């Protein structure tokens, strides 16, 4: 019997808490190859189902199957594997450097490497990403020097941003990587605005907006979708659903919509869900969306279904809010292992070559780290000059800042 007159407050709860047995049985995983590949000018109303399914290419046997397969050559896939392995190795070293006190803060990508590494290869030079802190693969896959990233992480004398940013908040116009803002969801309105400007000036460049599951609760996300929808902005709207927003599970920000992709439907934006741990699927879907944007067909919303296997950041301890073995139970596996198995299945890779590549990559990362440390770390060696704090913002420095600089004696 319903409780007449008595209201109850509803707070969604994750399936399991620490001490419990991880359970992802509520996450339906469609068969690889089963999702259709619509034409890029598809009427969004006819593909609404795709916001509730998952596009997958790699099956359990490591084969690439279905209509989204077949876009990448052996060489491109081997390069993709190398990018993901490099990001993983870079992360491990920088996480350790944080524990050694060489930097104040670090954020890892563990388990999410395919999303940013594969996405980058679907864009062209001059396109602009508006990333969050968990897309360093966009830089790695575009050949941005690891030493430069490390210099910033260490806030040393060679830090390209001269100590003005958080350690991992990179910025590179040349590599299509807009300065990261710590204020989440701002990336969405900025990306849509940039894309609108590109269309207004009849340019050919497109934008990519990035957001995590939790941050979609921000108003900026929704405002951006209105503008993207109305003006058919040439933008790819990426939502990385890694199941967690620090200690908050994805069910809180998702609300009642069923999936994050489904948010696009109310705006008439084609919305696709993709296996975020499948390099081939991420790349194929991103290519589809990029082509739509470039042909004036408007925005595409993509939800990457993945899992944050590591801690939120170096300041977080996930054992306080989820079972320790939860990542092992994640049904979409590990992106590096899955691409490795696919390349072995294609006959162009082996366990031995993988182990050798791992060792070589680690050597390269360590060499970059040594070079960066020669320019200083957080508490040792060279630092950006205090004077830099006052430079680079105003063409002509306002009097109050000039006075402060004089007071500081720089
Ligand atoms: C506007 C805003 N609110 C809150 C925060 C604090 N904060 C930093 S990371 C984070 C969680 C974000 O989770 P999600 O969007 O899922 O991204 P993920 O870290 O999982 O990649 C929060 C709440 C912030 N940086 N900006
Ligand atoms: Mg998240």
């Amino acid at each position: 019997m319903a409780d007449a007159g008595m209201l109850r407050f509803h707070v969604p709860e994750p399936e399991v808490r620490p001490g419990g047995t991880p359970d992802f049985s509520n996450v339906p995983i469609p068969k690889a190859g089963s999702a259709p590949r619509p034409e890029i000018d598809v009427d969004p109303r006819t593909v609404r189902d795709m916001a509730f399914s998952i596009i997958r290419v790699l099956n359990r046997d490591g084969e690439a199957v279905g209509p989204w397969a077949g876009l990448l050559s052996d060489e491109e896939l081997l390069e993709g594997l190398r990018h993901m392995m490099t990001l993983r190795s870079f992360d491990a070293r920088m996480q350790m450097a944080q524990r050694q006190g060489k930097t104040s803060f670090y954020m890892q990508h563990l388990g999410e490497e395919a999303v940013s590494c594969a996405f980058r290869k679907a864009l062209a030079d001059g396109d602009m990403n508006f990333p969050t802190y968990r897309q360093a693969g966009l830089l790695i896959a575009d050949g941005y020097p690891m030493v430069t990233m490390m210099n910033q992480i260490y806030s040393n004398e060679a830090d390209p941003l001269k100590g003005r940013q958080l350690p991992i908040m990179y910025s590179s116009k040349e590599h299509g990587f807009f300065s990261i803002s710590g204020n989440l969801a701002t990336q969405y309105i900025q990306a849509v605005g940039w894309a609108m400007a590109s269309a207004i000036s009849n340019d050919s460049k497109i934008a990519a907006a990035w957001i995590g599951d939790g941050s979609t609760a921000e108003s900026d996300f929704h405002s951006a979708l209105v503008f993207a929808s109305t003006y058919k902005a040439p933008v790819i709207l990426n939502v990385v659903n890694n199941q967690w927003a620090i200690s908050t599970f994805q069910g809180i920000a998702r609300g009642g919509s069923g999936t994050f992709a489904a948010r696009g439907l109310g705006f008439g934006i084609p919305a696709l869900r993709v296996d975020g741990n499948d390099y081939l699927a991420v790349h194929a879907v991103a290519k589809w969306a990029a082509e739509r944007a470039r042909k004036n067909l408007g925005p595409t919303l993509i939800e990457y279904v993945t899992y944050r296997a590591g801690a939120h950041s170096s300041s977080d301890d996930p054992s306080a809010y989820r079972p320790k073995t939860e990542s092992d139970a994640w049904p979409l596996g590990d992106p590096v292992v899955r691409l490795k198995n696919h390349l072995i299945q294609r006959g162009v890779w082996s366990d031995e070559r993988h182990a050798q590549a791992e060792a070589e990559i680690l050597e390269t990362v360590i060499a970059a780290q040594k070079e960066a440390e020669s320019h200083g770390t957080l508490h040792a060696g060279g630092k950006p000059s205090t004077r830099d704090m006052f430079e680079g913002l105003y063409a002509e420095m306002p009097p109050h800042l000039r006075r402060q600089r004089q007071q500081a004696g720089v």
Side-chain angles (χ1 to χ4, degrees):
M1 199 179 82
D3 299 321
M6 181 148 103
L7 297 173
R8 285 166 195 263
F9 187 57
H10 172 68
V11 181
E13 274 292 328
E15 298 287 333
V16 212
R17 284 295 190 185
T21 309
D23 180 12
F24 287 111
S25 56
N26 62 341
V27 183
I29 308 291
K31 259 175 83 131
S34 61
R37 185 173 194 278
E39 294 300 319
I40 55 162
D41 59 354
V42 67
D43 179 346
R45 287 171 301 185
T46 64
V47 289
R48 292 169 71 90
D49 289 359
M50 298 195 78
F52 300 95
S53 183
I54 303 181
I55 298 166
R56 306 179 64 227
V57 171
L58 293 176
N59 69 14
R60 278 173 197 277
D61 298 324
E63 296 157 341
V65 292
W68 294 88
L71 292 187
L72 292 165
S73 66
D74 289 348
E75 289 66 36
E76 287 167 325
L77 288 169
L78 287 165
E79 193 194 27
L81 180 67
R82 184 165 281 272
H83 291 152
M84 291 201 287
M85 291 170 74
T86 303
L87 178 56
R88 188 165 289 190
S89 184
F90 181 92
D91 268 353
R93 294 295 299 183
M94 291 298 99
Q95 174 75 12
M96 209 187 313
Q98 193 279 334
R99 294 296 189 245
Q100 292 166 339
K102 293 174 180 170
T103 178
S104 54
F105 184 67
Y106 194 70
M107 296 180 94
Q108 297 191 83
H109 304 73
L110 192 64
E112 298 177 45
E113 291 89 347
V115 176
S116 53
C117 289
F119 185 88
R120 176 65 248 186
K121 301 313 277 184
L123 291 188
D125 285 348
D127 294 340
M128 186 59 75
N129 284 285
F130 290 76
T132 78
Y133 43 70
R134 230 182 286 283
Q135 279 95 43
L138 296 171
L139 288 174
I140 300 253
D142 201 49
Y144 188 75
M146 277 191 280
V147 180
T148 313
M149 294 163 80
M150 290 168 171
N151 286 335
Q152 189 182 333
I153 290 169
Y154 290 145
S155 307
N156 65 22
E157 67 191 7
D159 172 358
L161 303 184
K162 305 184 191 321
R164 297 177 183 123
Q165 263 281 32
L166 263 171
I168 45 138
M169 300 210 170
Y170 315 108
S171 167
S172 171
K173 190 173 181 180
E174 299 71 38
H175 290 268
F177 195 94
F178 200 86
S179 311
I180 297 182
S181 164
N183 299 40
L184 294 168
T186 51
Q187 291 76 18
Y188 254 61
I189 43 177
Q190 291 169 1
V192 172
W194 193 96
M196 286 164 62
S198 189
I200 289 165
S201 52
N202 305 127
D203 205 331
S204 58
K205 316 287 194 299
I206 64 170
W210 291 90
I211 202 165
D213 46 277
S215 308
T216 63
E218 281 287 336
S219 311
D220 281 351
F221 173 75
H222 304 87
S223 318
L225 261 54
V226 175
F227 280 81
S229 164
T230 300
Y231 299 107
K232 286 189 181 288
V235 62
I236 307 175
L237 303 164
N238 296 306
V239 178
V240 183
N241 175 7
N242 63 5
Q243 312 302 317
W244 290 94
I246 315 185
S247 57
T248 303
F249 90 115
Q250 49 83 28
I252 298 279
R254 194 193 65 222
S257 60
T259 69
F260 289 93
R263 297 276 184 81
L265 300 181
F267 296 91
I269 297 174
L272 306 179
R273 273 183 110 214
V274 57
D275 179 344
N277 291 13
D278 178 338
Y279 186 94
L280 286 83
V282 170
H283 174 265
V285 170
K287 265 264 182 242
W288 190 86
E291 206 183 327
R292 275 178 48 77
R294 231 179 282 284
K295 297 215 164 127
N296 287 307
L297 293 165
T300 306
L301 191 143
I302 306 174
E303 175 185 346
Y304 303 90
V305 183
T306 182
Y307 184 84
R308 196 199 76 212
H312 170 74
S313 72
S314 54
S315 313
D316 175 47
D317 172 13
S319 70
Y321 54 83
R322 66 184 192 188
K324 280 197 172 115
T325 53
E326 194 177 80
S327 83
D328 302 333
W330 175 243
L332 294 174
D334 177 300
V336 174
V337 174
R338 284 178 67 193
L339 183 54
K340 171 192 164 197
N341 290 342
H342 174 57
L343 288 165
I344 292 175
Q345 192 272 335
R346 273 168 98 115
V348 295
W349 201 236
S350 65
D351 282 317
E352 295 71 39
R353 288 175 74 176
H354 193 83
Q356 194 187 337
E358 226 162 29
E360 281 167 15
I361 287 168
L362 178 60
E363 235 172 80
T364 316
V365 174
I366 290 174
Q369 193 177 2
K370 282 211 174 107
E371 188 182 335
E373 291 184 9
S374 75
H375 296 291
T377 61
L378 180 62
H379 295 299
K383 289 194 182 2
S385 111
T386 310
R387 191 187 168 89
D388 290 332
M389 193 165 69
F390 294 91
E391 306 286 350
L393 188 58
Y394 293 97
E396 266 180 56
M397 193 175 293
H400 72 284
L401 285 185
R402 225 177 299 131
R403 266 197 308 278
Q404 285 178 20
R405 196 177 68 187
Q406 278 159 6
Q407 278 167 9
V410 289

